[in-house]
Amino acid sequence: MLSKSFNVHLSLSVWLLCLQIISFKAEAKTLSGSFKKDFSTLRENLSKEEIRLLKVGFSLFSKPWVTAPSSTKRRDGLGPHFNAISCISCHHGLGRGAPPGVIQETDPALLFKVSPSSSLHEKFGVQINSRSLPNLLPEPQVVLRRKPQDAFVHDKEKAQDNAQAQYLYHLIGFPKQLVSPRIAPHLAGLGLIAEIPDQEIIENLKLSQGKIRIINNSIGRFGWKADHSTLKSQIAAAFRNDLGITNSLFPEEACSSRQQKCREAQSGDDEEGVEIRDDHLGFVVGLISSIAAPKKSANFNVRGKQIFSQISCTSCHRPNYLTKNNETISPYSDFLLHNMGKALSDGLNEKLSSYWKTPPLWGLGAIKRVNGHSRLLHDGRATSIEDAIAWHGGEAKESKNNYLRLSKEDKLALLSFLESI
Amino acid sequence: MYSKVLILISFFSFLGSPSAYKIPFQKSASLEQKVISDYAIMAEATYNDSLLGAEKLTTALSNLSTNQEQQSLKAAIGKAKDTWAKEARIPYGQSEIFRFMNGPIDFEAINDGHTSYLESINFESAEGMMNAWPLDEAYIDYVQGAPDSGLINDLSINLTQEVILTLNERDGEKNISTGYHAIEFLLWGQDFDDQGPGIRPLKDFMIKHSPQSARRIQYLNLLGDTLLDHLMKVTEQWAPHETNYRKELLSRPSHDVLSGIFTSLISMAGDELKSERIENALLLGDQEEEQSCFSDTTVNDIYANALGVKNLYYGTYSATNTNLVINGIGVDKLVLMVNPELDRDIKESFQKLFQNITSFYSLDSNGEPLIGDILVPFDYAIVNEQSMVQAIVDELVVLDHMLRQAAKELGLTIAI
């Protein structure tokens, strides 16, 4: 009698405990905004102080930067040349941007990098800033050459046709090999990627022909070509190059040697001689570091997961890591550079032109929810996950061909799995 | 028998623990519906009041060009400033509580497979063009250090409502040169005085002084008209029409709407007002990190935002521009049913919060605060009286915590 009652007691407490866990999980904190929160949920166990500071970071991330001089000294210094007026303009909901014409006709989320060795670099600097303060001439607008095609279908021949004639984005009048389009990726989980031990990435060298890119004596793990080894440097570069906000890491305005008016324009320098103070930049880094990984769906396609590994996708898109803080994360990347073949080559930098860092795949399925599109790859040329697979070449050619040989059911299972991670 | 007692004991021991689970309360569907319909009535009243305030403001602005003699111009400017700070801003500040649940004010289309009413009419939210902050001053007019900058000084641009709106967009990003704070900037000018607001020289409005002065008045009038248009679009969606946002809202499941209402209360109290509008100013350490930095009326913004939260909790609204008073059924009645002590604590917290906010105002002869009559400007306080600012923040933290608790006990879903 007594033991029975204890059982009841126990099961009741377990039940209540479960309820508490469920309600705790349901209350994960998110950033404020009308957007869907897949890419803007905060990591657990942040201290009150961390939350207080990341909110200032979010303010600097989402509020527009204004022309200097202004009354709001912490917020001025936009331009002289720039692509967008705030971080959130391209990373809507901390999510992924789309090329122009997908969500809005003109869209700052696609920008063009300039080849460092070309004469265009002298003229425009590291990237084309399509906008400028009113009294300056803006650099060329992003004009597109588009080849709209039907969305990819589950058909081998069509896949190959499509891969050669998809949406491609160019600056009209500029040689293709001198400018390279780049899209704004989603920002969820970057803080966790920063916490992957170097040794883990070095281990990945055994799994493929991938290469490590060393930046300032550290492993490059952020950016489309692993251009940055720290989040701070990635964010600081975006502030200077995309918004024209100078900072401790990039203290010079993005004016080329020939852009006299740009050089003479008023800057929004503060007491540190830059437009965003180092501690304020730190608030933004704190914000990005505090965003949780995109949430996996509880019901993933088991068959799809098996296939993903069977056809060797995992040799570059490595699923799991244990971070320095003992968190298991699943970004699906080896953070190495791979030769992806001619079709994806951007010709920008001789040595790296066909090399791309394996992009993390987590959050693939959420892009549609948060950003309303499914434009993938570094320049948004792919219109679906399948289309993105079809663009794989070079070191990934074998895996792509494996994919194309799958039955229709297996393809669907794999795609369904990818939507869930 | 023994086992039953034990279960009861164990159950009550849970109730007594800090993370106690209450017995699910008897849901009253009719009470919930009443709370939601009163929410809609309050939203309509608040936007109507904001609209009336904006109408008064456009009238005051149109009087600038017809009162060019020095004394009457001074009076006309004074009247416009006063109308902006009280009749226009106090209702609007209260209306900001109707953000945060994807209503007309900050609507955004969401790709979830369901087409909402606002999505079906391709409704475009105008919040960014009405209340954007910070303002791109040098984009509009001269500023210290840039005497020729801005649209007003570029005589080659013909100023029309359409031009302002297209220039405002800058590649789809709508937020720079229109709205309340653009009007504020043009009326007051930049503020470089830590004791008072900006003082724009009178000649800036004297048409005979320069073509720029005429353009400044013209720009102000265009801004007033634009603001009115935007407010009308939002207000229409809250009118008791056959098909509009309000109609759709009233047909949505109570759980969703009530979750939205609590999300709004928590977003405003614990995030927008506490962090974005007050605490960030302390953390970024700059005097002009304030919403209404030209007129030094940020205290009114804080007061009105907090009042919006209180209105929604109590189900009340007192109009600024008419005699309308609403005493509806607020969410407090729902909290009262599940946890009367919590409702009492929340109401005490509101009382403390308003004590802390009104300590920035002058007192009348009876010792009552004079709302709108600011004694300690916010920009002065964030540098010199930080404890006064911190007291508001601290109480908002308490309120945020209790509102979350209330939402939890009501079984609502809060994501923020």
Side-chain angles (χ1 to χ4, degrees), chain A residues 203-218:
Chain A
E203 288 286 315
N204 291 338
L205 289 169
K206 294 177 192 158
L207 299 171
S208 67
Q209 302 163 45
K211 293 177 173 54
I212 280 179
R213 185 162 178 201
I214 297 292
I215 308 285
N216 297 331
N217 297 319
S218 302

Side-chain angles (χ1 to χ4, degrees), chain A residues 73-356:
Chain A
K73 296 185 218 41
R74 301 297 182 226
R75 316 267 184 176
D76 71 3
L78 178 70
H81 294 293
F82 55 97
N83 294 88
I85 62 175
S86 71
C87 307
I88 209 162
S89 314
C90 301
H91 301 282
H92 180 70
L94 279 80
R96 184 182 169 92
V102 177
I103 300 298
Q104 46 188 5
E105 256 331 291
T106 46
D107 199 319
L110 186 80
L111 56 79
F112 287 81
K113 293 277 175 199
V114 174
S115 165
S117 53
S118 79
S119 59
L120 288 181
H121 193 269
E122 271 171 48
K123 210 168 164 190
F124 299 118
V126 290
Q127 76 192 34
I128 305 287
N129 297 120
S130 53
R131 297 157 72 186
S132 71
L133 298 181
N135 51 342
L136 274 77
L137 273 183
E139 294 170 354
Q141 297 287 320
V142 174
V143 186
L144 303 172
R145 183 186 298 158
R146 275 186 279 177
K147 295 181 184 170
Q149 294 287 317
D150 294 339
F152 190 86
V153 285
H154 307 285
D155 177 294
K156 186 178 159 186
E157 285 73 36
K158 192 127 190 215
Q160 281 159 340
D161 290 349
N162 260 19
Q164 299 309 316
Q166 265 301 335
Y167 291 82
L168 290 175
Y169 297 90
H170 292 309
L171 273 175
I172 294 281
F174 287 78
K176 188 184 163 211
Q177 60 275 22
L178 299 184
V179 288
S180 171
R182 302 289 168 82
I183 205 88
H186 81 69
L187 307 177
L190 293 181
L192 292 156
I193 291 174
E195 290 164 12
I196 295 174
D198 281 351
Q199 195 51 43
E200 292 289 317
I201 297 176
I202 294 166
E203 288 286 315
N204 291 338
L205 289 169
K206 294 177 192 158
L207 299 171
S208 67
Q209 302 163 45
K211 293 177 173 54
I212 280 179
R213 185 162 178 201
I214 297 292
I215 308 285
N216 297 331
N217 297 319
S218 302
I219 296 176
R221 51 178 90 183
F222 301 105
W224 290 109
K225 300 226 175 200
D227 316 83
H228 298 275
S229 59
T230 65
L231 257 184
K232 181 176 178 179
S233 142
Q234 171 76 51
I235 293 167
F239 261 112
R240 200 278 306 270
N241 296 338
D242 306 348
L243 306 182
I245 300 298
T246 58
N247 51 71
S248 63
L249 298 184
F250 299 90
E252 300 289 325
E253 291 286 6
C255 308
S256 75
S257 50
R258 290 203 217 155
Q259 290 170 325
Q260 198 56 30
K261 262 194 152 178
C262 178
R263 296 181 162 276
E264 287 165 1
Q266 291 224 20
S267 88
D269 286 357
D270 55 24
E271 53 276 56
E272 291 176 9
V274 289
E275 289 165 337
I276 181 168
R277 255 166 51 171
D278 213 41
D279 53 341
H280 297 175
L281 180 63
F283 294 148
V284 182
V285 177
L287 163 76
I288 302 301
S289 306
S290 308
I291 305 299
K295 212 156 111 200
K296 296 184 215 178
S297 303
N299 300 319
F300 64 89
N301 190 307
V302 180
R303 173 87 188 119
K305 187 176 180 169
Q306 286 168 351
I307 298 166
F308 189 69
S309 144
Q310 274 164 16
I311 65 171
S312 306
C313 302
T314 44
S315 56
C316 300
H317 290 288
R318 173 176 158 186
N320 298 326
Y321 292 87
L322 192 63
T323 68
K324 289 173 190 166
N325 298 322
N326 280 323
E327 282 182 70
T328 303
I329 60 167
S330 311
Y332 291 90
S333 171
D334 59 3
F335 305 98
L336 302 180
L337 287 172
H338 296 276
N339 182 344
M340 293 300 288
K342 222 174 178 170
L344 284 171
S345 167
D346 69 352
L348 200 63
N349 174 326
E350 252 171 65
K351 279 185 193 158
L352 290 176
S353 66
S354 58
Y355 281 83
W356 297 93

